[in-house]
């Protein structure tokens, strides 16, 4: 349909261009015509009425089509994605963690016990992975080891993605990499360009310091670029580095991150090419970003700084959950009108009017039922508390948060890539049907809440490769899930 409209548009422009070219000839001819004859000609019924009507009609069509061609957005296809699967020798069970925590981290008894309690309640299982540098005794936190960790994750995910899609690295015109706490020189996007010999005119970007919600921000950036650049492929690479992120001090607000974050990353192939319409799994419908950075409490609730002993870490304040709840409400207030049925929007509007106009403080703000808008929810696996809060606030059922809880259990908090492990879980379970709607929700420092909405273009099957160790990260263990979690 778009192609036909485009052809009509260009045909009309061509006709008008020819008419404009003929105007000087008509003026010359008119200059040689007597005034009396020209007057009679103009007042002739056919020319006077029909010519004006035709010109007006053509003008309206051209104007309308011009506005349409400028305003219409291109469809963004999610061709496929790949999640990095760390090797089994990097797994760290509770027993290993407890055994090494005092010896490796040089912690006192109180700090070690605190981390033990946090880990027990975290929702993490026995197969999550830490990088090689943190398995060493003493831990190796050199820049070389940090680079090695990130390169293994990025290259592992990208190799799987290129194999699954048969896309050529030279086809990639846009590259967006997000890693919050590791931003070396040359940049991570430069590392990828060098490894895969990407084209010299590629538009590459690195997003740093944007926390666990940066994956959606990276998708939103790629979406904007794909709206401008035609016939293009984009790769989004989301990861985090733990080698340099680990905290070795006694500040309890900084210790929590040691218990939650684990190795992981995801590579996503997006495109606006029509040739990918049949191959693509999903299309991008909406991205909504909300930011509470102007509020000091929200800004400081996740903060990287040095403790009293000069040891660097990321602190999580006790106000994190209330801040996250407020950020979520702001985000869904923006997203709601785009996705909710009219009945849910009206109920939300009525409660808002009741509170504002009638000053009825007892009336609780109605939280719309997003189960009417989405079949699947990918809630950032930031921790058990975050998932519990999301489940409660959005009135979700156990199955709606299953992918988030199982991702946290199997892979831990992999930061901005966790929502992709969750989507892979749903695919591995065979739950993704044609026209199903997916809501990815991510929270991050700053404080930010970001959403991405996708629609399945077919009954999605999990990605599979000939190598049994590659493909969907759940494929050799999905039969064990869901598992019962400790209360």
């Amino acid at each position: 349909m778009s192609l036909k409209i485009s052809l009509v548009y260009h045909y009309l422009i061509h006709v008008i261009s020819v008419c404009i070219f003929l105007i000087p000839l008509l003026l010359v001819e008119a200059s040689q015509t007597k005034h009396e004859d020209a007057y009679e000609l103009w007042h002739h019924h056919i020319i006077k009425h029909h010519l004006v009507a035709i010109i007006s009609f053509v003008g309206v069509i051209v104007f309308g089509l011009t506005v349409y061609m400028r305003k219409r957005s291109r469809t963004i296809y999610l061709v496929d994605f790949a999640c990095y699967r760390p090797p089994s020798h990097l797994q760290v069970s509770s027993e290993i963690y407890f055994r090494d925590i005092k010896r490796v981290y040089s912690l006192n008894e109180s700090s070690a016990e605190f981390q033990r309690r946090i880990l027990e309640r975290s929702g993490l299982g026995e197969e999550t992975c830490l990088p090689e540098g943190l398995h060493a005794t003493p831990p190796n936190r050199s820049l070389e080891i940090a680079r090695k960790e990130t390169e293994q994750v990025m290259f592992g995910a990208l190799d799987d993605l290129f194999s699954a899609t048969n896309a050529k690295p030279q086809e990639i015109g846009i590259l967006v990499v997000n890693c919050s706490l590791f931003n070396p020189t040359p940049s991570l996007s430069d590392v990828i360009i060098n490894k895969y010999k990407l084209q010299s005119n590629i538009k590459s970007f690195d997003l740093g310091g944007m926390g666990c919600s940066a994956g959606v921000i990276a998708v939103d950036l790629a979406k904007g670029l794909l709206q401008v650049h035609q016939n293009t492929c984009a790769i989004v690479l989301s990861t985090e580095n733990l080698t340099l992120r680990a905290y070795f001090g006694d500040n309890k607000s900084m210790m929590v991150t040691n218990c939650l974050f684990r190795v992981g990353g995801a590579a996503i192939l997006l495109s606006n090419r029509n040739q990918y319409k049949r191959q693509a799994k999903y299309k991008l419908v909406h991205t909504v970003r909300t930011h509470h950075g102007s509020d000091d409490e929200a800004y400081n609730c996740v903060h990287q700084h040095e403790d009293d002993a000069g040891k660097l870490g990321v602190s999580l304040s006790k106000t994190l959950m209330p801040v996250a709840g407020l950020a979520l409400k702001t985000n869904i207030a923006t997203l709601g009108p785009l996705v909710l049925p009219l009945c849910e929007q009206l109920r939300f509007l009525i409660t808002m009017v009741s509170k504002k106009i009638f000053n009825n403080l007892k009336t609780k703000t109605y939280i719309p039922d997003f189960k009417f808008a989405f079949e699947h929810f990918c809630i950032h696996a930031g921790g058990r508390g975050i998932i519990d809060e999301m489940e409660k606030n959005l009135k979700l059922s156990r199955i709606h948060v299953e992918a988030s809880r199982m991702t946290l259990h199997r892979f831990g908090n992999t930061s901005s890539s966790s929502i992709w492990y969750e989507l892979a879980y749903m695919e591995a379970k065979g739950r993704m049907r044609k026209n199903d709607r997916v809501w990815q929700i991510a929270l991050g420092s700053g404080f930010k809440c970001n959403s991405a909405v996708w629609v399945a273009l077919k009954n999605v099957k999990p990605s599979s490769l000939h190598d049994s160790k590659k493909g969907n990260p759940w494929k050799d263990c999905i039969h064990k899930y869901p598992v019962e979690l400790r209360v």
Side-chain angles (χ1 to χ4, degrees):
M1 182 65 182
S2 297
L3 179 60
K4 291 180 179 178
I5 293 175
S6 179
L7 290 173
V8 171
Y9 172 79
H10 290 295
Y11 176 76
L12 287 172
I13 292 295
H14 176 71
V15 170
I16 292 173
S17 300
V18 172
C19 293
I20 292 174
F21 176 78
L22 291 175
I23 286 176
L25 298 178
L26 293 173
L27 291 175
V28 172
E29 185 66 24
S31 66
Q32 298 175 357
T33 304
K34 293 181 180 180
H35 292 292
E36 294 81 8
D37 295 336
Y39 183 80
E40 287 294 327
L41 190 63
W42 173 250
H43 280 79
H44 194 281
H45 177 75
I46 295 177
I47 294 178
K48 180 179 179 180
H49 296 286
H50 290 264
L51 183 60
V52 172
I54 290 172
I55 293 174
S56 301
F57 178 73
V58 171
V60 169
I61 291 178
V62 171
F63 176 79
L65 287 173
T66 300
V67 172
Y68 172 79
M69 295 296 288
R70 288 182 176 273
K71 293 293 184 181
R72 73 186 181 94
S73 59
R74 296 184 176 89
T75 301
I76 308 300
Y77 298 108
L78 194 168
V79 183
D80 209 340
F81 65 97
C83 298
Y84 176 67
R85 175 77 178 269
S88 58
H89 72 270
L90 295 182
Q91 291 178 0
V92 52
S93 64
S94 299
E95 181 183 352
I96 294 174
Y97 191 88
F98 296 149
R99 184 192 69 195
D100 294 344
I101 191 170
K102 286 181 65 177
R103 175 172 58 86
V104 174
Y105 288 79
S106 301
L107 300 178
N108 58 42
E109 191 66 38
S110 173
S111 296
E113 177 62 20
F114 174 78
Q115 290 201 48
R116 187 188 67 79
R117 293 198 308 270
I118 292 293
L119 189 61
E120 283 184 345
R121 295 191 297 239
S122 67
L124 272 68
E126 301 297 306
E127 298 178 291
T128 63
C129 296
L130 287 174
E132 290 183 12
L134 298 185
H135 280 273
T137 305
N140 187 338
R141 303 180 69 215
S142 66
L143 181 61
E144 179 185 358
I145 293 297
R147 283 183 184 275
K148 183 179 179 181
E149 176 200 342
T150 299
E151 288 176 3
Q152 285 177 340
V153 174
M154 295 195 306
F155 298 162
L158 286 168
D159 286 347
D160 282 3
L161 182 65
F162 285 130
S163 297
T165 60
N166 293 319
K168 303 290 189 297
Q170 292 71 31
E171 297 177 19
I172 308 305
I174 298 166
L175 174 63
V176 184
V177 181
N178 69 271
C179 184
S180 192
L181 294 178
F182 183 57
N183 298 283
T185 301
S187 70
L188 297 182
S189 62
D190 296 334
V191 172
I192 293 173
I193 292 169
N194 177 260
K195 166 71 174 179
Y196 295 96
K197 308 306 177 188
L198 304 186
Q199 56 185 299
S200 60
N201 62 344
I202 191 170
K203 286 140 186 82
S204 61
F205 301 85
D206 282 80
L207 305 180
M210 304 194 78
C212 299
S213 67
V216 177
I217 297 174
V219 168
D220 184 55
L221 175 57
K223 167 190 169 184
L225 293 166
L226 287 169
Q227 293 293 352
V228 175
H229 301 282
Q230 302 181 35
N231 197 34
T232 306
C233 292
I235 280 183
V236 170
L237 194 294
S238 296
T239 188
E240 189 53 85
N241 184 280
L242 303 185
T243 299
L244 298 180
R245 182 175 191 160
Y247 173 66
F248 290 84
D250 289 315
N251 186 315
K252 292 182 178 179
S253 69
M254 295 180 171
M255 293 179 190
V256 178
T257 57
N258 290 344
C259 303
L260 296 176
F261 285 91
R262 296 295 185 263
V263 173
I268 304 95
L269 177 62
L270 305 173
S271 182
N272 54 22
R273 292 179 176 175
N274 287 327
Q275 71 187 61
Y276 280 117
K277 186 174 182 179
R278 289 186 173 226
Q279 182 183 353
K281 290 182 174 182
Y282 309 91
K283 68 175 180 180
L284 182 59
V285 183
H286 302 292
T287 51
V288 173
R289 296 166 53 183
T290 50
H291 205 305
H292 281 245
S294 59
D295 179 78
D296 289 342
E297 185 176 69
Y299 174 77
N300 288 301
C301 70
V302 181
H303 203 73
Q304 184 183 27
H305 59 93
E306 295 174 335
D307 64 11
D308 295 338
K311 295 181 180 180
L312 188 65
V314 177
S315 65
L316 305 179
S317 75
K318 295 180 180 179
T319 62
L320 177 59
M321 297 313 299
V323 166
L326 180 60
L328 174 64
K329 289 179 181 178
T330 304
N331 192 269
I332 64 177
T334 307
L335 179 65
L338 300 175
V339 297
L340 287 169
L342 185 59
C343 60
E344 285 297 299
Q345 295 188 47
L346 287 175
R347 293 182 68 179
F348 176 75
L349 180 63
I350 289 171
T351 59
M352 290 295 291
V353 170
S354 176
K355 290 189 71 172
K356 295 287 184 181
I357 296 181
F358 301 106
N359 198 26
N360 188 353
L361 299 178
K362 294 183 179 180
T363 302
K364 292 184 177 180
T365 301
Y366 175 69
I367 301 298
D369 190 347
F370 280 90
K371 296 188 292 292
F372 287 109
F374 303 106
E375 285 73 35
H376 308 285
F377 298 79
C378 295
I379 299 168
H380 166 54
R384 191 171 186 171
I386 288 179
I387 299 173
D388 289 345
E389 194 72 15
M390 291 284 197
E391 181 181 10
K392 176 183 175 183
N393 286 340
L394 296 175
K395 301 175 184 176
L396 302 178
S397 66
R398 184 175 181 179
I399 195 168
H400 288 126
V401 296
E402 180 184 308
S404 300
R405 293 196 189 282
M406 296 307 105
T407 294
L408 183 64
H409 179 272
R410 174 59 187 83
F411 294 101
N413 180 352
T414 61
S415 191
S416 57
S417 64
S418 68
I419 53 178
W420 297 104
Y421 286 90
E422 294 163 22
L423 189 56
Y425 179 89
M426 295 169 189
E427 292 182 0
K429 280 291 185 182
R431 295 174 181 172
M432 197 62 62
R433 317 304 295 174
K434 185 177 181 179
N435 295 323
D436 277 4
R437 298 156 297 179
V438 184
W439 183 12
Q440 291 181 322
I441 319 167
L443 299 165
S445 57
F447 194 86
K448 300 176 283 291
C449 180
N450 300 316
S451 295
V453 178
W454 308 87
V455 172
L457 298 174
K458 55 188 175 185
N459 296 338
V460 179
K461 296 180 180 179
S463 301
S464 60
L465 299 173
H466 296 300
D467 188 336
S468 61
K469 296 181 180 179
K470 297 183 178 181
N472 188 291
W474 297 91
K475 71 176 185 178
D476 65 345
C477 62
I478 192 64
H479 61 281
K480 299 189 295 185
Y481 290 90
V483 298
E484 289 295 326
L485 301 176
R486 290 177 293 182
V487 179

